[in-house]
Amino acid sequence: MDAIEVGVLGATGVVGQQFVSRLARHPWFRCTWLAASERSEGKAYKSVAPWKLSTSIPGSAADRVVQACVPGKGPKVVFSGLDASVAGDIEQAFAAAGHIVVSNARNFRMDPLVPLLIPEVNADHLTLLGEQRQAKGWPGAIVTNPNCSTVVLAMALAPLRQFDVRACIVSTMQAVSGAGYPGVPSLDILGNVVPFISGEEEKMQAETLKILGTDGGRTPYAAAVSAHCNRVPVLDGHTMTISVAFEQKPSLAEIADALRNFSGRPQELWLPSAPQPPLVVTEEPNRPQPRLDADLGGGMAVTIGRLRDCPVMDAKFVALGHNTVRGAAGAAILNAELMHSEGLLG
Ligand code: NAP
């Protein structure tokens, strides 16, 4: 198979660097175009991307000249790691010019005609693309992945839909890399916990119900979700404690089986970024932990542990996912892999 050329909008940011790194070793996609703001335009990528990954900057990207985010110049398929303050206008302009935008930004996630996709959970939401094209008049398209904490919660709840989730309370402990670079000042976060992340609780609550919903997410899942979001001094990996109440209360063994046996289209199709399995259920009493478990499945698996009875709701457990991989660049790349397999990138 000939490699599919792709580009990255916002290539210099924290998420953009994950895109560049993962695409450099991707078996299907070849990254030939990098774009960012006027600050970076015309300069070598290595001189404007403050490289923060432990792997070195890919040779294919280091000397590439960064372009302006102007539609029509780059490849048809572009990933977006743009700052949300500019992503709306830029992504729309790219879709209107015929590009397929696989976005990680929040701007279009709750648009009823834009799939908010987790390939294991709601691959069928891609059927929105036909209507999107007609209603918006775009020759291209926009597909989004969820917020970095939402994806962990939605993947943990998806296998439990068979027991009719009635309510869920989630408290997060979110890594600093989720705030981009330079992000949260060290004097605010070192030795501290910040119990506020602007807009995050509302995003978790609304996005989760769209993802688990039907009719492309236009009929939201009928459960109540309440989120508490906290920033903690962890580098990578969002951990969350989750309590769930059901209409049909299952036993803990039934919940564990549902989580362990969960699988979806990416696993069936053996997509290159698909973790096998997508949910790792651990028995150890003090796991998952971000330093030990965030990289499982190449950063694409969600780890679940400490499943036990809840005296207030029905059951409770801990879930963890890598925020810049499963919560951002890895998620968008998996979306594009599914779209390619479904013939939607041509
Ligand atoms: P970041 O490190 O601040 O990077 C932002 C990127 O946007 C940079 O490449 C920047 O380019 C570019 N940009 C800013 N203003 C621009 C403009 N006027 N025109 C063109 N490009 C512009 O942010 P991040 O953490 O990578 O996040 C990127 C997006 O992903 C955001 O929408 C964020 O909400 C979302 N997200 C992040 C995470 C995470 O874990 N970090 C997870 C899920 C979703 P310059 O370097 O040239 O300024």
Side-chain angles (χ1 to χ4, degrees):
M1 175 174 105
D2 289 340
I4 300 157
E5 283 198 27
V6 299
V8 180
L9 299 166
T12 51
V14 167
V15 172
Q17 291 175 26
Q18 279 284 2
F19 275 126
V20 168
S21 168
R22 296 179 83 81
L23 289 169
R25 49 197 155 87
H26 199 280
W28 298 355
F29 302 135
R30 192 156 56 92
C31 183
T32 56
W33 192 76
L34 302 174
S37 76
E38 276 178 7
R39 178 190 78 83
S40 310
E41 184 188 345
K43 301 184 179 136
Y45 182 68
K46 68 181 177 204
S47 70
V48 284
W51 196 254
K52 294 293 160 206
L53 303 182
S54 49
T55 50
S56 50
I57 190 163
S60 55
D63 293 314
R64 195 174 287 286
V65 175
V66 175
Q67 307 293 316
C69 293
V70 177
K73 302 236 164 118
K76 178 167 183 183
V77 178
V78 290
F79 292 98
S80 168
L82 283 168
D83 189 83
S85 61
V86 295
D89 289 346
I90 295 177
E91 292 178 1
Q92 176 158 337
F94 271 72
H99 294 273
I100 310 235
V101 183
V102 187
S103 172
N104 183 60
R106 68 163 183 263
N107 308 59
F108 287 97
R109 286 186 195 140
M110 292 308 293
D111 186 315
L113 292 173
V114 174
L116 176 54
L117 195 64
I118 303 178
E120 286 90 343
V121 176
N122 61 350
D124 58 306
H125 288 198
L126 279 175
T127 53
L128 284 178
L129 287 182
E131 270 181 80
Q132 181 190 106
R133 200 155 281 161
Q134 275 195 328
K136 307 252 190 207
W138 296 337
I142 299 180
V143 170
T144 59
N145 62 260
N147 160 277
C148 45
S149 2
T150 305
V151 68
V152 179
L153 177 66
M155 284 183 68
L157 292 181
L160 307 182
R161 281 180 292 188
Q162 60 184 290
F163 310 119
D164 293 335
V165 174
R166 180 168 57 77
C168 165
I169 296 178
V170 56
S171 296
T172 67
M173 290 153 271
Q174 300 185 214
V176 288
S177 58
Y181 185 79
V184 191
S186 57
L187 282 183
D188 287 343
I189 197 68
L190 283 177
N192 201 15
V193 168
V194 180
F196 176 68
I197 303 174
S198 180
E200 194 83 351
E201 294 175 351
E202 294 79 1
K203 275 187 260 179
M204 270 191 101
Q205 291 164 184
E207 290 181 16
T208 302
L209 299 180
K210 176 174 176 179
I211 293 160
L212 299 178
T214 50
D215 186 26
R218 283 174 291 197
T219 306
Y221 190 70
V225 175
S226 174
H228 306 257
C229 292
N230 306 289
R231 186 78 68 195
V232 297
V234 161
L235 194 54
D236 289 317
H238 290 353
T239 309
M240 54 198 71
T241 54
I242 302 171
S243 294
V244 191
F246 302 94
E247 296 292 354
Q248 333 271 339
K249 185 181 174 180
S251 67
L252 290 181
E254 286 172 319
I255 295 176
D257 275 356
L259 296 169
R260 273 206 183 88
N261 296 327
F262 178 64
S263 180
R265 289 286 286 155
Q267 287 70 36
E268 209 177 291
L269 296 167
W270 286 91
L271 298 180
S273 303
Q276 304 275 2
L279 299 180
V280 176
V281 180
T282 166
E283 300 286 342
E284 289 178 68
N286 59 353
R287 302 280 278 274
Q289 295 179 19
R291 242 178 28 209
L292 302 178
D293 299 308
D295 288 328
L296 280 186
M300 291 296 284
V302 167
T303 307
I304 294 179
R306 302 210 62 225
L307 174 61
R308 60 218 192 276
D309 282 314
C310 175
V312 177
M313 312 282 269
D314 291 326
K316 56 184 176 180
F317 53 85
V318 183
L320 163 78
H322 197 303
N323 54 294
T324 63
V325 182
R326 178 50 101 157
I333 292 173
L334 186 63
N335 284 353
E337 291 169 5
L338 177 67
M339 291 171 74
H340 177 60
S341 298
E342 308 278 347
L344 293 168
L345 289 189

